[in-house]
Amino acid sequence: MRFGTKAIHAGVEPDPTTGAIMTPIYQTSTYVQESPGKHKGYEYSRTHNPTRTALQKALAALENGQHGICYASGLAATDAVLKLFRPGDEIISTNDLYGGTYRIMKRVFEPFGQVFHFVDMSDTANIERVISDKTKMIWVETPTNPLLRIIDIEAVAKLARDRGIMCVVDNTFATPYLQNPLDMGADIVMHSVTKYLGGHSDTVMGALVLNDSDLAQQLAFIQNASGAVPGPQDCFLVLRGLKTLHIRMQRHCENAGRIAQWLLDHPKVGKVYYPGLPSHSGHELAARQMRGFGGMVSFELKGDVYEEAVRVMESLTVFSLGESLGGVESLCTHPASMTHASIPAVERLKGGLKDTLIRLSVGIEDVEDLIADLENAIG
Ligand code: PLP
């Protein structure tokens, strides 16, 4: 089955009781048993819920994986992965990544004894420099948030596999429509479902997709034992969102490409970060690794004046100023004070993230209106 057909049909079957074409919202905490231990496969909704089961199957199918496991947020999914490791285990992560991922690694798991290295993975030699026999996992995020660097998934996954190290890819920015990390050798794909997969800025959720059944069992155990599960209403909303993922992503990519080029041509704009631009350092790799360049664009104004960047962000009217991304509506984010505020300023700067960086999540509105909005704000 091709992507669009899978997005609409995968994991979803007519409801066995009524034939309802849409998976019902099974808003129930428990399930009546015929006799102790004799039930229809469902005992308690933290462990299993039919709406969640349908979504997990759909997500697994879209990522070409065997197992999908949903969590209450993207960070709860990351938390589950990190719980696989023990004190003394070392983890290598990219140095340009979502601030909350950095925060859970440094502030929650490091105090328990895990050791983290943050390196620029756009050059895989940087990974080899910090690998040791204690390295247990490599955490990749590509395109990175917010500088949209591109990391070679196949190269990193091979490097990891050759040494018996697990490779996890946060595929939130690309979505399975643009790249499938499992097909490139990654062990686990992680998603903030909150973003493009849900697609309508109305749900917070996370997911993991993988092929290894033993590992899936461990992660499902953590899902149930730690209890960070999404509710059935949210699962329904994401099942509904997924049906248009391919159409939305086409438009996100188209609009973002137009806007990136428009920004590049603007005399007041300095650096533009978009993997679809031939001037982007990861352009060739992105063209090889991805089926499109995504809906995220970051930029800085010439002169790097903080107050000027703030004025632009305050002046936008079609783009809303706020955290998050991947919804149908365009959003503008100030990473330094919002999504990446949990990374100390010196670390942010070391990774290349300036306080003047503006990040756009380009929505699926008419692109002419988005450009007019930027034109009015930038002046
Ligand atoms: N990964 C990336 C790339 C993100 O952008 C985010 C959130 O912004 C997350 C993970 C965390 O996901 P959530 O907000 O659903 O917990």
Side-chain angles (χ1 to χ4, degrees), residues 222-254:
I222 294 169
Q223 180 197 41
N224 180 50
S226 292
V229 291
Q233 168 101 15
D234 284 348
C235 293
F236 173 86
L237 287 170
V238 175
L239 274 169
R240 176 162 146 154
L242 284 183
K243 291 183 191 293
T244 54
L245 178 62
H246 51 307
I247 305 289
R248 287 186 283 108
M249 287 311 294
Q250 283 163 20
R251 184 69 170 256
H252 281 298
C253 292
E254 214 178 282

Side-chain angles (χ1 to χ4, degrees), residues 37-331:
K38 199 165 169 207
H39 52 75
K40 298 180 168 68
Y42 291 93
E43 298 159 82
Y44 187 60
S45 277
R46 173 161 33 73
T47 322
H48 297 294
N49 175 283
T51 319
R52 196 171 88 217
T53 302
L55 175 61
Q56 293 182 152
K57 283 188 183 161
L59 291 172
L62 290 178
E63 279 292 11
N64 300 334
Q66 293 298 314
H67 309 280
I69 309 168
C70 287
Y71 297 86
S73 68
L75 278 173
T78 303
D79 177 79
V81 173
L82 292 171
K83 281 175 176 156
L84 295 170
F85 302 99
R86 297 291 169 257
D89 287 350
E90 299 199 4
I91 288 159
I92 304 173
S93 172
T94 180
N95 67 339
D96 178 40
L97 83 168
Y98 171 57
T101 309
Y102 175 89
R103 180 178 54 202
I104 193 172
M105 288 175 171
K106 287 295 284 183
R107 309 252 321 260
V108 179
F109 283 87
E110 196 173 84
F112 285 118
Q114 290 182 12
V115 178
F116 295 91
H117 302 275
F118 297 90
V119 301
D120 179 357
M121 288 190 186
S122 42
D123 181 359
T124 42
N126 292 332
I127 304 177
E128 295 193 66
R129 264 194 279 281
V130 290
I131 272 188
S132 77
D133 54 4
K134 294 193 183 125
T135 308
K136 293 292 186 300
M137 194 248 283
I138 300 180
W139 183 277
V140 178
E141 184 183 294
T142 181
T144 62
N145 182 0
L147 292 171
L148 300 157
R149 291 190 183 122
I150 305 295
I151 296 165
D152 189 335
I153 299 174
E154 218 166 79
V156 177
K158 179 168 180 344
L159 193 148
R161 198 174 338 110
D162 288 350
R163 292 165 174 80
I165 297 168
M166 185 187 293
C167 174
V168 182
V169 177
D170 181 337
N171 204 26
T172 300
F173 269 33
T175 82
Y177 180 72
L178 298 179
Q179 73 188 10
N180 297 110
L182 296 182
D183 294 346
M184 297 180 225
D187 297 293
I188 303 178
V189 178
M190 177 266 162
H191 276 286
S192 170
V193 175
T194 314
K195 312 294 168 12
Y196 290 105
L197 299 183
H200 296 76
S201 308
D202 52 12
T203 322
V204 172
M205 196 190 294
L208 301 174
V209 179
L210 66 162
N211 281 313
D212 185 302
S213 298
D214 291 339
L215 192 53
Q217 248 180 26
Q218 286 180 58
L219 290 163
F221 172 81
I222 294 169
Q223 180 197 41
N224 180 50
S226 292
V229 291
Q233 168 101 15
D234 284 348
C235 293
F236 173 86
L237 287 170
V238 175
L239 274 169
R240 176 162 146 154
L242 284 183
K243 291 183 191 293
T244 54
L245 178 62
H246 51 307
I247 305 289
R248 287 186 283 108
M249 287 311 294
Q250 283 163 20
R251 184 69 170 256
H252 281 298
C253 292
E254 214 178 282
N255 283 0
R258 287 272 303 275
I259 286 177
Q261 188 59 51
W262 182 87
L263 287 167
L264 194 67
D265 294 341
H266 197 288
K268 288 194 182 165
V269 173
K271 228 169 163 180
V272 181
Y273 303 82
Y274 184 64
L277 293 172
S279 55
H280 186 282
S281 60
H283 177 67
E284 266 178 42
L285 174 58
R288 204 164 6 106
Q289 176 164 281
M290 302 170 73
R291 293 180 282 268
F293 299 106
M296 301 299 296
V297 181
S298 296
F299 69 100
E300 291 147 5
L301 296 168
K302 271 190 188 143
D304 270 335
V305 180
Y306 177 73
E307 289 72 20
E308 187 56 13
V310 170
R311 190 197 60 71
V312 167
M313 288 184 273
E314 285 174 351
S315 309
L316 290 164
T317 57
V318 183
F319 281 86
S320 304
L321 183 61
E323 301 205 18
S324 203
L325 60 109
V328 289
E329 61 289 288
S330 291
L331 278 181

